[in-house]
Amino acid sequence: MPLPSFTAPLIELQSVDSTNNYARQLIETCRLTEGQPLPEEGTAVFAHEQLNGKGQRGKNWASQKETNIALSILVNPGFLPITRQFELSACAAVAAHRFFANYAGTDTRIKWPNDLYWQDRKAGGILIENIVGTGGLWNWAIVGIGININQSVFADGLPNPVSLLQITGKEYEPLVLAKELRQIFLEGYYNLKTDGFGNIYSAYNKYLYKAGKKVVLKKECRSFEATVKYVTPS
């Protein structure tokens, strides 16, 4: 299978509503403009300020200006059926874990489905948006990753945020780290293409938040206690 380009452009923006929105517009503009080539796989969008970042289940991802990673990466996951989209989600989560653990250490974990945790505090999140073509072909995925880097003060109402600065006591250059994160993700994505899901799935469960521990879960109006064992491949 073709290797995603590790030299595809990284578009640096000072301010944008959402890097995922901007990445989607890159695709849509090319589709509507005759003779305009589609973006190269591996193309990424980084913003120093994200005004309306997206989180899971319609939530906003709040991020302070010029302090964090707001990154979206374009890939063509047509080698997978759309019913196996968790494989790409897990690939992104494992890449984010590998990146963050390089700096924050072994307390870094993946909270199902794709949040990045350090101890019991949230350091980042992933939102993947898909473009599916005729016949159900998975044409594009926009892999949006937000990670707290230098932020030290968070908005009221966020229950448990943490940043790399708070963990390590050091400040970092978010753009430099975003380039490193893209490289790590593309390496994992290429392995998913060529070697399958096995190694990514093993790593996902190895670093699963609360694995082997009792937790209180809630379904509808009922709360119950359970032990987290593993996440299934689906």
Side-chain angles (χ1 to χ4, degrees):
M1 295 204 176
L3 178 71
S5 175
F6 291 85
T7 58
L10 187 147
I11 300 167
E12 180 185 357
L13 304 173
Q14 292 304 311
S15 183
V16 73
D17 61 340
S18 158
T19 56
N20 269 25
N21 284 350
Y22 190 96
R24 180 181 289 273
Q25 288 167 9
L26 289 177
I27 299 168
E28 298 300 337
T29 299
C30 292
R31 281 177 162 178
L32 296 173
T33 306
E34 187 175 351
Q36 178 76 21
L38 287 166
E40 193 175 2
E41 185 173 45
T43 295
V45 180
F46 170 87
H48 292 277
E49 180 183 34
Q50 192 171 225
L51 300 171
N52 192 24
K54 299 179 181 180
Q56 290 284 348
R57 294 175 289 280
K59 297 178 180 178
N60 287 337
W61 177 262
S63 181
Q64 198 174 72
K65 183 178 180 180
E66 297 179 340
T67 58
N68 302 320
I69 290 176
L71 180 71
S72 295
I73 306 167
L74 288 168
V75 292
N76 309 124
F79 62 96
L80 290 173
I82 192 66
T83 53
R84 289 166 56 187
Q85 58 187 288
F86 176 66
E87 295 185 19
L88 180 61
S89 175
C91 175
V94 168
H97 174 275
R98 177 183 160 195
F99 159 78
F100 201 78
N102 284 342
Y103 297 92
T106 57
D107 284 336
T108 308
R109 290 290 182 267
I110 299 166
K111 183 175 182 288
W112 181 90
N114 50 19
D115 281 338
L116 186 65
Y117 263 56
W118 182 81
Q119 296 185 357
D120 291 322
R121 302 171 70 185
K122 185 173 178 176
I126 297 165
L127 177 67
I128 300 177
E129 297 184 281
N130 302 310
I131 298 176
V132 181
T134 55
L137 180 63
W138 194 359
N139 288 337
W140 290 95
I142 304 163
V143 182
I145 307 175
I147 298 180
N148 300 326
I149 302 298
N150 295 325
Q151 191 163 341
S152 58
V153 178
F154 294 88
D156 293 338
L158 296 177
N160 55 349
V162 70
S163 69
L164 205 51
L165 169 64
Q166 291 174 321
I167 296 167
T168 66
K170 300 176 183 178
E171 287 198 359
Y172 302 83
E173 174 48 61
L175 178 58
V176 172
L177 294 192
K179 291 177 180 178
E180 179 186 337
L181 174 59
R182 178 176 68 158
Q183 179 82 8
I184 292 172
F185 167 75
L186 289 177
E187 288 172 1
Y189 175 72
Y190 180 64
N191 289 335
L192 177 62
K193 269 189 171 186
T194 56
D195 300 331
F197 188 47
N199 289 335
I200 293 170
Y201 176 61
S202 295
Y204 187 98
N205 276 306
K206 179 179 180 180
Y207 300 115
L208 184 64
Y209 179 65
K210 295 292 187 183
K213 298 180 180 179
K214 288 185 177 181
V215 297
V216 176
L217 302 175
K218 186 175 182 180
K219 184 175 183 180
E220 296 173 349
C221 297
R222 184 173 67 92
S223 296
F224 58 95
E225 190 177 79
T227 299
V228 177
K229 296 181 70 176
Y230 57 88
V231 172
T232 68
S234 59

